[in-house]
Amino acid sequence: MAYGDLSFSAEQIGEFLGGAKASMFKKLEKVTAPTFNDACAHGAVPSPMVPVAILFNRLRDAETEEERVAIRRELTAELEMRNTIAQTMKQIVNSSVETAEQANRVLTAKAVPRNFECAEPVVNAFSERCYNVGQVDYAFRQIYALVNLCEEGVSVDTIIGAIGSSCKFHPQQRVD
């Protein structure tokens, strides 16, 4: 079954591009991905940065100094929370591995979970003792490092021990 106007289905694509098709393709080759600042100007923001971009936009559009002060406080709190989560994860990783090279690999590699017997209790421990990954999106985005620790062969007990020593605050005081 086919829909729409099929009268041009056998025609060459070049007929639709016109005579200067080669120059058009050269122009396309020069197109680069926008930077974060360019993306913000056009509304496209990487999903992890959406909360920050929203606060930046609110700050830009604030009409009173009181609004700006309140939004700056929110923005500072968001950025500090992200920094704290990232530093906590680095501390967990560094406490769980033996070398700086392995720590770097764990913190930068794309997580491909296969060892679910390790990953599940480790992620649950992180969520219970550090940051609730169901409520804190940035914490959720950091659990790849825990999965990578499991994939590196680090034991569940070692990782959970590092979580316990790195997340010393009481669960009710965690960032939710």
Side-chain angles (χ1 to χ4, degrees), residues 114-134:
R114 289 184 216 56
N115 186 353
F116 295 103
E117 293 79 25
C118 173
E120 186 176 355
V122 165
V123 170
N124 287 339
F126 181 77
S127 189
E128 291 168 5
R129 297 180 189 175
C130 294
Y131 304 95
N132 185 332
V133 297

Side-chain angles (χ1 to χ4, degrees), residues 6 11-12 25 44 79 102-103 105 107 129 153:
L6 301 178
E11 296 179 17
Q12 296 293 324
F25 288 121
L79 295 173
Q102 188 180 19
R105 192 170 51 243
L107 289 168
R129 297 180 189 175

Side-chain angles (χ1 to χ4, degrees), residues 110-116 119 147-148 150-151:
K110 181 178 178 184
V112 180
R114 289 184 216 56
N115 186 353
F116 295 103
V147 172
N148 285 339
C150 290
E151 296 305 318

Side-chain angles (χ1 to χ4, degrees), residues 2-145:
Y3 298 95
D5 181 9
L6 301 178
S7 65
F8 61 88
S9 63
E11 296 179 17
Q12 296 293 324
I13 189 77
E15 293 177 32
F16 295 97
L17 295 175
K21 65 181 177 184
S23 65
M24 183 178 96
F25 288 121
K26 286 181 183 175
K27 288 179 187 176
L28 287 176
E29 289 174 359
K30 295 178 184 176
V31 174
T32 59
T35 63
F36 178 70
N37 292 336
D38 293 338
C40 286
H42 297 95
V45 178
S47 61
M49 293 302 296
V50 167
V52 174
I54 289 171
L55 289 169
F56 272 119
N57 288 336
R58 285 180 49 206
L59 183 60
R60 181 194 64 214
D61 297 339
E63 295 180 5
T64 67
E65 187 59 29
E66 292 82 24
E67 281 181 286
R68 284 188 281 281
V69 168
I71 295 167
R72 277 191 201 105
R73 244 185 252 125
E74 283 183 68
L75 182 58
T76 300
E78 175 72 19
L79 295 173
E80 286 175 355
M81 178 204 57
R82 287 168 176 247
N83 185 49
T84 300
I85 292 170
Q87 292 305 315
T88 300
M89 187 57 74
K90 285 180 186 174
Q91 187 176 0
I92 292 168
V93 169
N94 287 328
S95 298
S96 299
V97 298
E98 296 176 8
T99 67
E101 180 184 304
Q102 188 180 19
N104 186 47
R105 192 170 51 243
V106 166
L107 289 168
T108 58
K110 181 178 178 184
V112 180
R114 289 184 216 56
N115 186 353
F116 295 103
E117 293 79 25
C118 173
E120 186 176 355
V122 165
V123 170
N124 287 339
F126 181 77
S127 189
E128 291 168 5
R129 297 180 189 175
C130 294
Y131 304 95
N132 185 332
V133 297
Q135 295 178 359
V136 183
D137 184 61
Y138 194 76
F140 176 74
R141 293 180 179 281
Q142 300 302 307
I143 63 173
Y144 72 90

